Amino acid sequence: MDTRLPLYQRIRDDMLARIARGEWRPDKPIPTESALGQEYDVAIGTVRKAVDTLVGDNLLYRSQGRGTFVRRPQFDGALFRFFRQVDAAGHRHVPTSRIIRCELARPPETVRKTLGLDKRSDAVRLDRERIIEADNRIREKIWLPAARFAALVDTPVEDVGNLLYPFYEQAFGEVVASAQETLTIEAAGAEDAACLGIEPGSPVVVIERVARGYDGQPIEYRCSRGRADRFRYQIDIA
Amino acid sequence: MDTRLPLYQRIRDDMLARIARGEWRPDKPIPTESALGQEYDVAIGTVRKAVDTLVGDNLLYRSQGRGTFVRRPQFDGALFRFFRQVDAAGHRHVPTSRIIRCELARPPETVRKTLGLDKRSDAVRLDRERIIEADNRIREKIWLPAARFAALVDTPVEDVGNLLYPFYEQAFGEVVASAQETLTIEAAGAEDAACLGIEPGSPVVVIERVARGYDGQPIEYRCSRGRADRFRYQIDIA
DNA sequence: CAGTGGTCTAGACCACTGT
DNA sequence: CAGTGGTCTAGACCACTGC
């Protein structure tokens, strides 16, 4: 505990650690402000300021009269913001997912480094196809650290739902709290072209994602490919 | 003034309006907290809370011992985040800009609606080429409301610098405070292919941007095109 | 040194929630 | 109704800036 930092920042850091280590779970209330004030032996205003910063960072949310709760991160849908998912009639499609492969394998060098694995360790490889529209699919190659996810290879694919992050939390207690995505364009190879229903050489959008827990440790590496002509991404800059 | 809103929110709204109408200018200090407390006839803590929200939204910044200042928005560089701008030696390139055309013209329907112009009004059309690397250029088509920017067509192009937003502020007092960008991929037409030095049909990244002032009113419509094979975009999701 | 924002406290009162 | 967070106040003391 760095005593040079203001009290409210030290309290903030401690609260963040309690979320990261799972002492406070998503959608569950944290102790009341007066209880925290007593526990940390500070005035309520100081606790409020610490809570304010975490609310500002979207890690907590307040509900007047009920309490303050841990935010459950919700961005499994982030990928779908990238692709048009509205059909001619204006209906939204919820993409379905199909797991093609799930096995222990030796990850490529870049994936190994990204996940922070040592040289000799295997990882769980998960290949998946997602169907946004009849003629618009996404191919995903996913890598997970075997240390935490090895049991996945023995899980029947029926037990894994359409969305992976809720499944990670339910089955392994791993909560994805943030992610970094890198977006590039490349020409489709023969295999991708066949899978995506386009000509070889047609442009393909490649989205690489590293998903991390509250503590910043990498949980998942994911590489998704889809046809570029159905791609649309919108961003607000402030 | 809606008296149902908390005091600090009403003060926040009023301060925002003072920024929007230019009473408080970028990089200039606003009145001290105690002065604002007297002016609004509230306690300093209430002013602090109002200022806190504006600092949180990045519209103000504090400097201890000096004062609180209006943030000068800085995202003219936002476009460059999209394209690789580091050469083989690791040096960063500052793109240069060349204005190709600057005239009054009738804007396309979509541009007219985006800028909120009525049917009969012209707009300033600005075509520009930006050079990121020797073989990587961007073509920009820019539209500006004639009501505020008509004098631009009589301005020598030498007076316009490499960056447009600082010029808008210096010459017209218009400050760009936010923007929305939409990113899609399309096949290069003959003209774009020639300009960008690629084969017709090659993939091109299209970035449409609407730039707005502090008050949310549209200031500029901009459409930029560049070769997709040099494109890279990185985003953090939290 | 005077003046600024930064931190921390203490307490009053209000608005909302669930029982 | 009791308990929660939401608003607002008032004031003490600290740390930094510029003259």
Side-chain angles (χ1 to χ4, degrees):
Chain A
M1 187 91 73
D2 190 340
T3 58
R4 293 168 308 178
L5 286 175
L7 254 184
Y8 77 91
Q9 286 202 27
R10 281 179 269 163
I11 292 170
R12 181 212 136 94
D13 289 347
D14 188 71
M15 294 177 68
L16 187 56
R18 292 167 87 163
I19 297 170
R21 82 170 88 101
E23 179 183 336
W24 295 341
R25 300 297 299 180
D27 286 345
K28 298 288 180 189
I30 70 172
T32 67
E33 295 181 342
S34 57
L36 289 170
Q38 285 191 286
E39 181 186 342
Y40 289 116
D41 197 24
V42 297
I44 272 195
T46 304
V47 170
R48 278 191 72 78
K49 181 140 187 177
V51 173
D52 279 344
T53 67
L54 292 170
V55 169
D57 291 347
N58 231 334
L59 289 158
L60 298 176
Y61 61 94
R62 301 188 206 259
S63 179
Q64 184 171 148
R66 296 202 303 132
T68 301
F69 302 79
V70 177
R71 173 80 69 195
R72 177 184 300 283
Q74 269 303 16
F75 56 85
D76 200 283
L79 181 61
F80 309 132
R81 286 187 329 205
F82 283 135
F83 288 88
R84 293 177 191 140
Q85 50 175 324
V86 181
D87 66 15
H91 297 303
R92 300 195 87 210
H93 288 264
V94 177
T96 56
S97 304
R98 188 167 65 87
I99 291 175
I100 295 167
R101 183 205 305 253
C102 181
E103 63 188 16
L104 271 179
R106 181 61 46 96
E109 177 75 3
T110 57
V111 172
R112 194 179 62 68
K113 280 189 175 162
T114 302
L115 292 178
L117 305 176
D118 64 48
K119 264 186 185 153
R120 303 173 319 285
S121 53
D122 278 352
V124 176
R125 172 181 177 172
L126 196 64
D127 284 10
R128 204 161 69 133
E129 182 182 64
R130 316 193 75 175
I131 297 156
I132 296 177
E133 300 166 294
D135 60 343
N136 193 9
R137 296 188 292 279
I138 298 172
R139 300 276 299 188
E140 294 183 328
K141 291 179 186 170
I142 297 168
W143 291 90
L144 300 160
R148 283 176 284 175
F149 290 92
L152 191 59
V153 299
D154 300 320
T155 306
V157 291
E158 307 85 58
D159 294 5
V160 183
N162 246 342
L163 301 177
L164 284 180
Y165 293 171
F167 177 75
Y168 294 164
E169 183 183 348
Q170 167 241 310
F172 303 98
E174 299 282 348
V175 177
V176 171
S178 72
Q180 186 181 64
E181 296 189 332
T182 302
L183 195 160
T184 51
I185 315 292
E186 65 175 34
E191 189 192 326
D192 283 335
C195 294
L196 299 176
I198 52 179
E199 295 297 314
S202 302
V204 170
V205 171
V206 182
I207 300 165
E208 287 183 288
R209 177 196 289 174
V210 183
R212 298 172 188 277
Y214 284 115
D215 55 0
Q217 289 302 110
I219 291 177
E220 176 206 66
Y221 170 87
R222 180 186 295 207
C223 185
S224 311
R225 279 154 214 271
R227 43 195 295 184
D229 60 345
R230 301 300 179 83
F231 179 80
R232 166 178 293 264
Y233 179 54
Q234 193 161 295
I235 185 173
D236 290 300
I237 308 170
Chain B
M1 185 92 72
D2 189 340
T3 58
R4 295 169 308 179
L5 285 176
L7 254 183
Y8 77 91
Q9 285 201 27
R10 280 178 270 163
I11 292 171
R12 181 213 135 94
D13 289 347
D14 188 71
M15 293 176 67
L16 188 55
R18 293 168 87 162
I19 297 172
R21 83 171 85 100
E23 178 183 336
W24 295 341
R25 300 296 301 179
D27 285 345
K28 299 287 180 189
I30 69 173
T32 67
E33 296 182 341
S34 58
L36 288 170
Q38 285 191 288
E39 180 185 344
Y40 289 116
D41 197 24
V42 297
I44 273 195
T46 303
V47 168
R48 277 192 72 78
K49 183 141 187 176
V51 173
D52 279 344
T53 67
L54 292 169
V55 169
D57 291 346
N58 233 331
L59 289 159
L60 297 176
Y61 61 92
R62 301 188 206 259
S63 180
Q64 184 172 149
R66 295 201 305 133
T68 301
F69 302 79
V70 177
R71 171 81 66 195
R72 176 184 301 281
Q74 269 302 16
F75 55 87
D76 201 283
L79 182 62
F80 308 132
R81 287 188 329 204
F82 284 134
F83 288 87
R84 295 180 189 136
Q85 50 176 321
V86 180
D87 66 14
H91 297 303
R92 301 194 87 208
H93 288 264
V94 178
T96 56
S97 304
R98 188 167 66 86
I99 290 175
I100 295 166
R101 181 207 306 254
C102 182
E103 63 189 15
L104 271 180
R106 180 62 45 97
E109 177 75 5
T110 58
V111 172
R112 194 179 61 68
K113 281 189 175 166
T114 302
L115 292 179
L117 306 175
D118 64 48
K119 265 186 184 151
R120 302 175 320 285
S121 54
D122 278 352
V124 176
R125 172 181 176 170
L126 196 64
D127 284 9
R128 205 160 70 132
E129 182 182 65
R130 314 194 77 174
I131 296 154
I132 296 179
E133 300 166 293
D135 60 344
N136 192 10
R137 295 187 292 279
I138 298 172
R139 301 275 297 188
E140 293 183 327
K141 292 179 184 168
I142 297 168
W143 291 90
L144 300 160
R148 284 176 283 177
F149 290 93
L152 191 59
V153 299
D154 301 319
T155 306
V157 291
E158 308 84 59
D159 293 5
V160 183
N162 247 344
L163 300 177
L164 284 180
Y165 293 170
F167 177 75
Y168 294 164
E169 182 182 349
Q170 167 243 310
F172 302 98
E174 299 283 348
V175 177
V176 171
S178 72
Q180 185 181 63
E181 297 189 332
T182 302
L183 195 160
T184 50
I185 315 292
E186 65 176 34
E191 190 192 327
D192 284 334
C195 293
L196 299 175
I198 52 179
E199 294 297 314
S202 302
V204 170
V205 171
V206 182
I207 300 165
E208 287 183 289
R209 176 196 289 175
V210 183
R212 299 172 188 278
Y214 284 115
D215 55 0
Q217 288 302 110
I219 291 177
E220 176 205 66
Y221 169 87
R222 180 185 295 208
C223 185
S224 311
R225 279 154 215 270
R227 44 194 296 184
D229 60 345
R230 299 301 177 82
F231 179 80
R232 166 177 294 263
Y233 179 54
Q234 192 162 296
I235 186 173
D236 290 300
I237 308 170

